[in-house]
Amino acid sequence: MRVYLGLAAKHQGAGIPEAMLHTVRGAIDSAFPVPPEVIRSREWHRPGIAVFAWTNEPDDSRRPPLLETGHDRVTGVNGYLAAPDDVNRLAAMPSLDTEAVGGCFSAFRATEDELSAATAIHRVCPVYYAETPDVHVIGSRALLVHLAGGGERVEWDVLALQSVVRQGYFLSDETPYRGVSALPPSSSVTVRGGHRTITTTPLPSAVPAPTSRRGKKKLVGELASALLSTVEPLRAAGEPVNLALTGGRDSRLIAATLHAAGIPLRATTNGLDTHPDVIIAGRVARALRVEHTVIPPARAEKKDAIVVEHPLARAYETLRACEGMTSAYESIVGYLPYSAKPTMSGQSGEILRAGGLLLLQTDLTEKALRRRVDVTFLRDPALFTEEANEHARELAGPWLERAPLEALDHMYISYKVGRWHAGARAGSLRRGDQIWPFLDNRVVRAALGLDQTWRLSEEVIYELLGVLAPSLRDIPVEGKPWRFTVGRRYHPWQRRPQAPLTAPKTGGGGWNWRTSPGVELTGLMRDHVLGRLDLLAPIVRPDEVRGLFAEPVLKKPNQAWHLYTVATMLGGEYPGKEPESLPRVHIPIPS
């Protein structure tokens, strides 16, 4: 994981105040969620400009240096580049522009008289910016940007947090910190001569779905080429890639990409031998002639309860890793020492299937799609104050004016990927920076250029398999069939994709303690939230919140977790010292 921060003086001839430099050096312990002893750092200073960089990576041998320095400039890459030497392209550009560069990254650059940063098309490696009366601040961690400008005191943007209470993440460019904003996707922020400018390239508009076989083949071939380019950095790994393989569509496509590129891999699947994920993953591995390891779940004597950490401990760690961008409902990957071992999964493959917001839809009429946009921003309006609801309407307004298919597609990239995933992945980045083919700058750009209904049909992924690893295309998928096959009639010479395999339903299957919290955990969450109702009152109606916790066991646990997270922020438990001596909580397992 890398952390960057840049400072640029507003006034000509002015330097960066020494007190601010001291504050930045001291704030990194709060803003970088790893043990202080594993952090190494670099700095670059010129009159009126300063760049700081930190990492817990043990070395830079397979990646660009933490700071790539030239005679008059310095460049840093947060994330990874498909071609590590592209750091020199970024350094040499007249204006910092990520559009033609492959990888999953954001870039930071400074010269003698300019400070700039840029996001990729999905901003999953985020850039945040703020200003003080004297200095512009740009960085990769929002809390660090905030502390750099304001010292030790944190000021919350309470109205902005209405989105976190509704959905568990931000549906805007806002952050929890007053005065700190997230840079939009495919954008650059530049400070020159004391003035800040932001330039944004609109997300690509999709072209109509091709009607000919030749047209489809051309577009699928271009996307396949983009996918193949994403795994090039793995050639230097020196060992096979460990792929988390399931019976679904997305990890299968990653396996096909690695196979077509000639990158050695081994597959791992969690589950019992009888589970469809294990059965299908085994068939995929055999077709590609790769090693397949099955990890069965731990078996124990039957118990009637599980023991989990106190919700405050969970919320604190989530806030520390994700900076308040993500609710403690989410299970965030905990800290482990950084490892360069190459691992991959099929995460974020929904991008190639028109995004999770559209995949939720069964009704694709314009009216239904517009309602989906509206509900996404204005979920559960009775819980919120009129001011919070009005703010949500303002955020929804520009999206409701757009064609709804494209709006939902781009909302998924801008917010679900660019805000939720960007926040949540901070936990795993502490352990190592994986290669994410579906989040590659060029892959996302190519995917967004394809018709949403065509991507939603899943035919694009099916045809990609035909290009990259034809032997995988007709191996059954787990769960629901390929969408484009439903109700379709086939000519005798066409092979129909095989029917999916589905896990048998069992009593208690799918039980999750976060959504079935029991009386003890409900009580702890109730006391915590209701004890901070005065802090939450600007965005939620106190009586409605009390009603949410009125039953012995929560009926809307997701919403309760979101409230708990925001209450923890506003109550002052974060940032600060980690809570200690908290009792663990017993949660009954349903019989």
Side-chain angles (χ1 to χ4, degrees):
M1 185 178 189
R2 296 182 172 191
V3 176
Y4 291 93
L5 186 84
L7 306 171
K10 285 185 173 182
H11 308 297
Q12 190 171 7
I16 307 298
E18 191 63 36
M20 179 175 280
L21 300 176
H22 179 74
T23 295
V24 168
R25 296 184 185 109
I28 192 62
D29 288 349
S30 297
F32 197 168
V34 300
E37 61 269 19
V38 304
I39 299 175
R40 58 187 178 91
S41 63
R42 287 195 63 188
E43 298 180 16
W44 187 91
H45 296 273
R46 293 295 184 273
I49 292 180
V51 175
F52 296 82
W54 302 266
T55 185
N56 67 324
E57 300 165 12
D59 63 71
D60 300 332
S61 59
R62 283 164 35 193
R63 307 181 61 201
L66 183 58
L67 286 178
E68 180 75 49
T69 56
H71 74 280
D72 67 341
R73 64 190 57 209
V74 65
T75 307
V77 174
N78 186 28
Y80 66 87
L81 300 172
D85 286 346
D86 276 348
V87 66
N88 297 314
R89 289 179 63 191
L90 293 166
M93 290 175 176
S95 298
L96 195 55
D97 181 5
T98 64
E99 184 170 341
V101 179
C104 178
F105 67 99
S106 57
F108 295 81
R109 190 179 73 179
T111 66
E112 301 285 341
D113 58 2
E114 179 181 290
L115 174 67
S116 59
T119 54
I121 193 169
H122 44 56
R123 66 169 167 185
V124 78
C125 294
V127 172
Y128 302 101
Y129 61 94
E131 63 180 297
T132 72
D134 300 312
V135 177
H136 288 286
V137 188
I138 301 172
S140 63
R141 294 283 288 180
L143 176 60
L144 183 61
V145 169
H146 187 64
L147 293 177
E152 297 181 358
R153 182 183 176 189
V154 173
E155 293 187 29
W156 305 106
D157 188 342
V158 180
L159 186 59
L161 289 167
Q162 60 85 25
S163 181
V164 178
V165 175
R166 286 185 211 267
Q167 293 285 12
Y169 61 96
F170 281 93
L171 291 163
S172 67
D173 297 337
E174 299 163 307
T175 74
Y177 312 101
R178 188 176 301 279
V180 179
S181 298
L183 192 65
S186 199
S187 299
S188 63
V189 54
T190 301
V191 180
R192 188 179 182 90
H195 300 287
R196 183 181 67 202
T197 58
I198 295 174
T199 304
T200 298
T201 301
L203 298 182
S205 294
V207 300
T211 56
S212 68
R213 182 67 189 164
R214 176 179 294 181
K216 290 183 178 181
K217 184 176 180 180
K218 177 179 181 295
L219 292 178
V220 170
E222 292 172 354
L223 187 52
S225 295
L227 277 170
L228 287 170
S229 71
T230 69
V231 297
E232 284 301 310
L234 294 167
R235 295 192 187 281
E239 60 182 302
V241 176
N242 187 62
L243 173 65
L245 185 63
T246 69
R249 294 126 170 95
D250 301 331
S251 63
R252 175 181 317 202
L253 183 54
I254 298 296
T257 302
L258 292 168
H259 171 77
I263 305 292
L265 73 143
R266 51 176 171 250
T268 303
T269 308
N270 291 282
L272 297 172
D273 290 341
T274 54
H275 194 282
D277 270 340
V278 174
I279 296 169
I280 300 170
R283 290 186 59 176
V284 170
R286 288 192 295 274
L288 299 180
R289 299 181 181 180
V290 300
E291 175 188 346
H292 181 223
T293 301
V294 177
I295 303 175
R299 299 198 181 215
E301 295 181 9
K302 184 177 180 181
K303 298 180 180 179
D304 61 359
I306 63 169
V307 180
V308 301
E309 63 185 340
H310 193 282
L312 185 56
R314 179 185 180 90
Y316 179 87
E317 176 59 19
T318 303
L319 290 168
R320 182 169 177 262
C322 308
E323 303 190 287
M325 310 295 175
T326 304
S327 165
Y329 171 77
E330 306 295 340
S331 292
I332 302 302
V333 176
Y335 170 77
L336 284 177
Y338 189 94
S339 172
K341 289 183 177 296
T343 60
M344 299 178 77
S345 71
Q347 190 167 5
S348 299
E350 296 94 342
I351 292 171
L352 273 60
R353 294 185 277 136
L357 296 177
L358 279 169
L359 286 168
L360 291 170
Q361 285 292 118
T362 55
D363 185 350
L364 296 181
T365 62
E366 183 168 337
K367 181 179 179 181
L369 292 173
R370 290 194 184 282
R371 175 166 174 74
R372 169 67 68 180
V373 174
D374 187 66
V375 168
T376 300
F377 283 93
L378 275 160
R379 179 181 177 183
D380 202 4
L383 178 64
F384 294 86
T385 63
E386 185 50 41
E387 184 181 13
N389 285 330
E390 182 57 32
H391 187 59
R393 292 187 196 100
E394 291 174 359
L395 297 175
W399 295 99
L400 288 167
E401 294 173 359
R402 298 176 57 177
L405 268 174
E406 182 176 87
L408 288 164
D409 191 16
H410 288 188
M411 282 168 55
Y412 179 79
I413 293 294
S414 297
Y415 304 135
K416 188 66 174 178
V417 175
R419 300 307 314 274
W420 174 80
H421 188 49
R425 76 192 287 267
S428 62
L429 283 177
R430 298 178 294 181
R431 297 182 171 192
D433 198 353
Q434 299 179 25
I435 301 296
W436 301 86
F438 298 138
L439 288 175
D440 183 273
N441 200 28
R442 292 165 299 180
V443 170
V444 176
R445 190 169 298 279
L448 291 180
L450 302 181
D451 179 79
Q452 286 90 9
T453 54
W454 186 32
R455 275 189 285 142
L456 192 59
S457 76
E458 299 181 334
E459 186 177 24
V460 172
I461 284 189
Y462 184 75
E463 294 298 333
L464 279 170
L465 289 171
V467 172
L468 299 169
S471 61
L472 303 188
R473 191 164 63 169
D474 293 325
I475 292 177
V477 291
E478 193 278 330
K480 296 180 180 179
W482 296 97
R483 286 175 174 239
F484 73 94
T485 67
V486 176
R488 174 177 287 195
R489 297 181 64 182
Y490 285 80
H491 296 290
W493 59 85
Q494 290 181 320
R495 292 186 63 191
R496 178 169 183 157
Q498 295 186 27
L501 295 180
T502 304
K505 292 183 178 180
T506 58
W511 177 78
N512 186 326
W513 67 268
R514 291 171 299 156
T515 56
S516 301
V519 174
E520 183 181 355
L521 181 55
T522 294
L524 289 172
M525 294 179 73
R526 178 192 298 114
D527 293 344
H528 188 80
V529 173
L530 297 189
R532 292 157 179 78
L533 262 184
D534 58 328
L535 301 174
L536 293 163
I539 53 175
V540 294
R541 301 179 189 276
D543 287 345
E544 295 290 334
V545 175
R546 293 186 187 97
L548 191 67
F549 289 94
E551 301 293 330
V553 176
L554 289 166
K555 290 186 176 180
K556 291 185 176 181
N558 298 42
Q559 196 102 72
W561 277 109
H562 302 344
L563 279 163
Y564 190 97
T565 306
V566 173
T568 301
M569 273 190 277
L570 301 182
E573 285 88 353
Y574 162 86
K577 187 179 179 181
E578 182 178 0
E580 298 177 346
S581 304
L582 293 172
R584 295 178 69 82
V585 182
H586 288 73
I587 300 177
I589 299 173
S591 56

